[in-house]
Amino acid sequence: MKLPIFIADAFTTKAFCGNPAAVCLLENKLGEDMHQKIAQEMNLSETAFIRKLHPTDNFTQKNVSSTLTFVTLSGELRVRRGEDDIVLDFPLYPAHPQDFHEVEDLIKTAIGDTLVQDICYSPDTKNLLVRLSDTYNRSFLENLKVNTQNLLQVENTGKVKGLILTLKGESDGQARAFDFYSRYFAPWFGVAEDPVTGSTHTVLGSYWSQQLGKKNMHAFQCSHRGGELEISLRPDGRVDISGSAAIVLEGTLTA
């Protein structure tokens, strides 16, 4: 069995930055065991398997301008090609104020005595959003040592499944300043730190839109790989999250 396979770095224009993902194109359905074996062989946190639902669908079409709908295990994902990027259509999830004392042990374990300005919780995604003090800058967030190893030992009754650290943006000499920065940790799912996370920006977009009074925002996730995202809140209560992608590997998998 020979399968076309790619590795793409999402939310970046540069190879070896952004969020790496393997994409395997299928003509026929594979068993779950084979999915797992291929994902383990690729050794990436994201491996996607794309199969045509209709024989007339064309994987090689270059100029796709309409919206494509992917039926996934997490629900439908709608994607369209923008002028210079790819646009993902997500629900927008609100983040509600969270009492510090209820999550104090978790926060202290993760970031010690780092100053915190605001804490919110998203019940839809089970993400805890921790906004660091405005006295910090991007460099501080990038270099912050986060203790993810001990987070699993903190009692939280399953309420928190992901930790978002975020910081207000600043004018840092960029041609276009970033509105906010973030990092994301999910050791509860075996991910110490995710390089760039589109889904967390469904929460970050909601939070920072209220804080900044903006519907369109430019964001940067400060992992060691780093990635840029454009956030656009829509009138229908959803959010467009867009970014570029760089294909760094194209080949054939033999199984």
Side-chain angles (χ1 to χ4, degrees), residues 182-243:
S182 68
R183 290 175 67 185
Y184 182 64
F185 309 88
W188 299 273
F189 291 107
V191 180
E193 179 172 5
D194 198 40
V196 191
T197 319
S199 60
T200 60
H201 286 76
T202 62
V203 179
L204 285 160
S206 174
Y207 175 82
W208 282 111
S209 176
Q210 293 181 1
Q211 296 295 312
L212 302 175
K214 303 175 74 171
K215 298 294 184 183
N216 300 302
M217 291 162 286
H218 189 205
F220 187 81
Q221 191 157 331
C222 296
S223 68
H224 73 282
R225 293 177 64 98
E228 295 187 35
L229 308 92
E230 299 290 340
I231 316 295
S232 296
L233 275 64
R234 299 183 352 206
D236 62 357
R238 296 181 68 85
V239 59
D240 286 338
I241 299 175
S242 59

Side-chain angles (χ1 to χ4, degrees), residues 153-167:
Q153 311 305 319
V154 179
E155 178 61 42
N156 76 73
T157 64
K159 176 179 179 177
V160 176
K161 293 297 185 182
L163 174 64
I164 303 170
L165 299 183
T166 188
L167 185 67

Side-chain angles (χ1 to χ4, degrees), residues 90-247:
F90 279 108
L92 186 67
Y93 294 122
H96 307 289
Q98 170 66 50
D99 182 82
F100 172 75
H101 297 292
E102 292 182 10
V103 291
E104 181 177 4
D105 289 345
L106 189 150
I107 293 173
K108 292 289 188 183
T109 298
I111 59 175
D113 294 326
T114 302
L115 298 178
V116 171
Q117 184 148 332
D118 197 10
I119 307 170
C120 291
Y121 177 72
S122 164
D124 298 290
T125 65
K126 291 191 174 182
N127 282 322
L128 182 68
L129 183 155
V130 178
R131 175 181 174 181
L132 304 186
S133 169
D134 289 349
T135 60
Y136 297 130
N137 59 18
R138 170 178 167 175
S139 177
F140 178 87
L141 179 59
E142 288 176 331
N143 294 302
L144 180 63
K145 303 298 182 185
V146 180
N147 184 355
T148 57
Q149 189 172 9
N150 291 338
L151 283 178
L152 297 178
Q153 311 305 319
V154 179
E155 178 61 42
N156 76 73
T157 64
K159 176 179 179 177
V160 176
K161 293 297 185 182
L163 174 64
I164 303 170
L165 299 183
T166 188
L167 185 67
K168 186 177 180 181
E170 58 189 350
S171 179
D172 56 5
Q174 299 281 341
R176 182 183 170 200
F178 294 106
D179 292 293
F180 64 88
Y181 306 115
S182 68
R183 290 175 67 185
Y184 182 64
F185 309 88
W188 299 273
F189 291 107
V191 180
E193 179 172 5
D194 198 40
V196 191
T197 319
S199 60
T200 60
H201 286 76
T202 62
V203 179
L204 285 160
S206 174
Y207 175 82
W208 282 111
S209 176
Q210 293 181 1
Q211 296 295 312
L212 302 175
K214 303 175 74 171
K215 298 294 184 183
N216 300 302
M217 291 162 286
H218 189 205
F220 187 81
Q221 191 157 331
C222 296
S223 68
H224 73 282
R225 293 177 64 98
E228 295 187 35
L229 308 92
E230 299 290 340
I231 316 295
S232 296
L233 275 64
R234 299 183 352 206
D236 62 357
R238 296 181 68 85
V239 59
D240 286 338
I241 299 175
S242 59
S244 300
I247 295 177

Side-chain angles (χ1 to χ4, degrees), residues 1-4 24 26 28-31 34 38 252-255:
M1 180 173 58
K2 295 183 180 297
L3 304 171
C24 188
L26 306 178
N28 301 299
K29 190 174 182 179
L30 295 179
M34 182 59 70
I38 293 173
T252 302
L253 184 144
T254 303

Side-chain angles (χ1 to χ4, degrees), residues 1-21:
M1 180 173 58
K2 295 183 180 297
L3 304 171
I5 196 159
F6 306 81
I7 292 180
D9 290 341
F11 302 113
T12 183
T13 58
K14 302 176 183 178
F16 316 124
C17 296
N19 193 30

